[in-house]
Amino acid sequence: MFQAFLIKYGEIGVKGKNRYVFENALISRIKEVLADAEGMFRIIREQGRIYVEAEGAFDYDETVAALKRVFGVVSICPVVLLEDQGFEALSEAVLSYVKEVYGDRSMTFKVLTRRVNKEFPMESMEVSAELGGRILDHFPNMSVDVHHPEVILHIELRHNIGIYSEVIPGPGGMPLGTNGRSMLLLSGGIDSPVAGYMVAKRGVYIDAVYFHAPPYTSERAKQKVVDLAKLVSRYTGPIRLHVINFTDIQMYIYEKCPHDELTIIMRRYMMRIAQKLAEDTGCLALVTGESIGQVASQTVQSLAATNDVCAMPVFRPLIAFDKEDIVTIAKKIDTYETSILPYEDCCTTFVAKHPVTKPKVEAIRRSELLLEEKIGEMMEQAFATEEIVEIGK
Ligand code: ATP
Ligand code: MG
């Protein structure tokens, strides 16, 4: 019965001129996700409201699922839109709406009317009271509860009329593109896809970098990262994935530096490379899936030693999350099953038996001097041989 959806979005920070930036970004993302859903849609913007209206047949579930992936959407309300043909016609429509959606369910309800069109000849309170009375007359199992109703039947009186009562939660957040672009360090693990999702949810476009170390990491491991990027891009929009060949740098560190410092030094080179890529591609920050204490390279001392090489902001949205909470989000966004596939990671291949857990920045910097001879050249080579995979375009 529904041909349209009322899209509600957060009002905070979207006053005045910002509102248009926010709404435009939201609308263009809605168009993007609906392009993949079955059906043709029209998007109508009207005084603080956005309606998505299907033109002809469409797949309801697929459409709702797509809208649930649009950041900035607070709720999705399936709505019946009518032309304004006076109160009697509205009343007919409301009764058939209630019958269709609730049948003879026993429930409490109230009617809530918003009269935007001041030409409508009745006041909103009057409309609510009159409709409430007629519903009671027709549906003996229903009763009114104005304080804690199970169902709120919304009537919107505009140049046309909207009737809705179902409210499907959206993801919240800010529309993509309202907060610049960042570079996500994307591994094949559970955490980094979630980190990318969370930052994108604040309106940030995401590009990604993956450090690949053939033959220590296989094509399958790389494919897993590509698959994860695809899953994440359902929410974040297209992702440009930079695949950086990290083998030579990793081997060189292994050859020259103390083995217990290997992971930290490797991570510092990942950050340096990611930062250079970010600068070259208009990204203003880095994003990682690090979380305090999760592994030796994520103690506060290790994080500080890693961060020592970063001049741009590094967003670590999972920093204070427990693994369990990260897993919950990974499951919700559908990356979990892919993340747990058992392919090797470039960090595990060379990992020391007893890595330092409290690295001193000074000591790490000194160890890196041992790399002076060839590391510059190797970094150049890594950039020169990068492979770019366009995801979700
Ligand atoms: P994840 O589950 O995201 O792999 P993790 O718990 O395995 O994280 P680490 O392997 O220490 O932790 O990595 C910490 C962060 O560094 C990752 O979340 C990711 O952002 C980044 N990272 C690690 N390995 C790679 C890689 N091969 N390519 C790109 N980024 C990486
Ligand atoms: Mg990992």
Side-chain angles (χ1 to χ4, degrees):
M1 79 183 281
F2 295 105
Q3 273 301 114
F5 299 90
L6 166 60
I7 305 297
K8 294 190 174 172
Y9 49 88
E11 294 285 326
I12 299 164
V14 294
K15 297 260 144 62
K17 219 170 74 190
N18 277 344
R19 169 178 223 131
Y20 287 93
V21 175
F22 188 97
E23 286 181 351
N24 289 341
L26 191 63
I27 288 171
S28 79
R29 183 62 189 151
I30 290 174
K31 285 185 180 157
E32 232 170 68
V33 298
L34 290 181
D36 296 333
E38 177 125 5
M40 296 280 287
F41 301 90
R42 205 154 64 97
I43 295 166
I44 306 152
R45 180 205 313 234
E46 214 180 74
Q47 296 149 305
R49 288 278 194 250
I50 291 171
Y51 291 95
V52 171
E53 199 176 355
E55 300 183 310
F58 74 109
D59 184 321
Y60 179 91
D61 293 336
E62 203 177 87
T63 305
V64 170
L67 292 171
K68 283 179 86 158
R69 295 195 305 268
V70 177
F71 296 137
V73 170
V74 171
S75 44
I76 302 152
C77 308
V79 63
V80 169
L81 293 178
L82 320 164
E83 274 177 41
D84 180 359
Q85 293 178 330
F87 181 78
E88 288 307 321
L90 167 61
S91 171
E92 287 292 309
V94 166
L95 293 175
S96 59
Y97 176 99
V98 173
K99 181 154 187 252
E100 183 107 6
V101 179
Y102 300 104
D104 53 6
R105 216 178 99 180
S106 144
M107 64 183 208
T108 59
F109 76 97
K110 80 168 175 186
V111 181
L112 196 63
T113 305
R114 267 183 73 196
R115 188 173 67 137
V116 178
N117 170 18
K118 299 296 179 203
E119 313 273 284
F120 197 86
M122 289 160 76
E123 302 252 337
S124 52
M125 293 288 275
E126 219 183 322
V127 172
S128 296
E130 187 59 35
L131 289 175
R134 293 192 188 190
I135 293 170
L136 289 175
D137 289 346
H138 283 79
F139 302 92
N141 289 337
M142 298 187 187
S143 56
V144 171
D145 179 344
V146 289
H147 300 296
H148 305 287
E150 287 163 65
V151 170
I152 301 180
L153 186 68
H154 296 263
I155 310 293
E156 300 239 337
L157 304 173
R158 303 173 166 270
H159 79 273
N160 57 13
I161 296 179
I163 306 170
Y164 69 93
S165 58
E166 244 183 298
V167 179
I168 303 164
M174 309 275 284
L176 285 173
T178 54
N179 261 310
R181 182 176 289 278
S182 293
M183 180 67 70
L184 168 67
L185 284 86
L186 181 62
S187 67
I190 295 170
D191 306 327
S192 43
V194 173
Y197 165 87
M198 286 178 69
V199 168
K201 186 161 175 267
R202 299 305 304 164
V204 181
Y205 279 129
I206 295 292
D207 281 333
V209 53
Y210 166 58
F211 297 94
H212 188 39
Y216 304 99
T217 55
S218 62
E219 275 304 301
R220 299 286 294 276
K222 180 173 118 187
Q223 186 57 44
K224 178 181 169 186
V225 173
V226 170
D227 292 344
L228 282 170
K230 274 189 197 146
L231 291 168
V232 172
S233 78
R234 288 158 53 84
Y235 294 91
T236 66
I239 294 177
R240 172 169 293 174
L241 173 66
H242 302 260
V243 179
I244 296 285
N245 189 326
F246 204 51
T247 314
D248 291 349
I249 293 174
Q250 218 169 1
M251 298 289 279
Y252 191 49
I253 300 171
Y254 190 71
E255 188 187 312
K256 297 283 184 185
C257 299
H259 286 186
D260 61 350
E261 293 175 0
L262 197 86
T263 308
I264 292 292
I265 295 175
M266 235 169 57
R267 297 202 47 76
R268 285 163 58 100
Y269 278 96
M270 284 188 185
M271 293 305 233
R272 288 179 170 108
I273 292 171
Q275 183 163 279
K276 172 78 167 57
L277 283 175
E279 280 163 7
D280 290 352
T281 56
C283 294
L284 299 174
L286 302 179
V287 181
T288 76
E290 290 160 310
S291 162
I292 294 172
Q294 212 187 70
V295 285
S297 59
Q298 295 177 27
T299 62
V300 170
Q301 291 84 349
S302 298
L303 288 165
T306 304
N307 209 65
D308 175 54
V309 299
C310 303
M312 66 171 52
V314 182
F315 299 147
R316 298 177 171 92
L318 307 179
I319 198 70
F321 275 47
D322 292 347
K323 194 76 184 191
E324 212 182 295
D325 300 326
I326 302 171
V327 164
T328 303
I329 302 176
K331 286 182 176 163
K332 191 182 86 184
I333 65 172
D334 247 3
T335 53
Y336 182 73
E337 293 300 326
T338 304
S339 287
I340 58 173
L341 294 174
Y343 300 121
E344 65 295 330
D345 167 332
C346 72
C347 307
T348 50
T349 315
F350 290 88
V351 91
K353 278 206 186 67
H354 300 289
V356 282
T357 53
K358 294 181 180 170
K360 293 247 172 11
V361 175
E362 288 305 326
I364 301 290
R365 287 186 190 157
R366 259 197 313 280
S367 300
E368 283 182 355
L369 295 176
L370 301 167
L371 302 170
E372 247 175 357
E373 192 189 337
K374 289 195 197 152
I375 196 75
E377 194 186 308
M378 285 179 169
M379 299 257 283
E380 288 304 318
Q381 186 63 17
F383 290 120
T385 58
E386 79 166 329
E387 181 197 343
I388 290 181
V389 187
E390 301 286 358
I391 310 271
K393 285 226 163 99

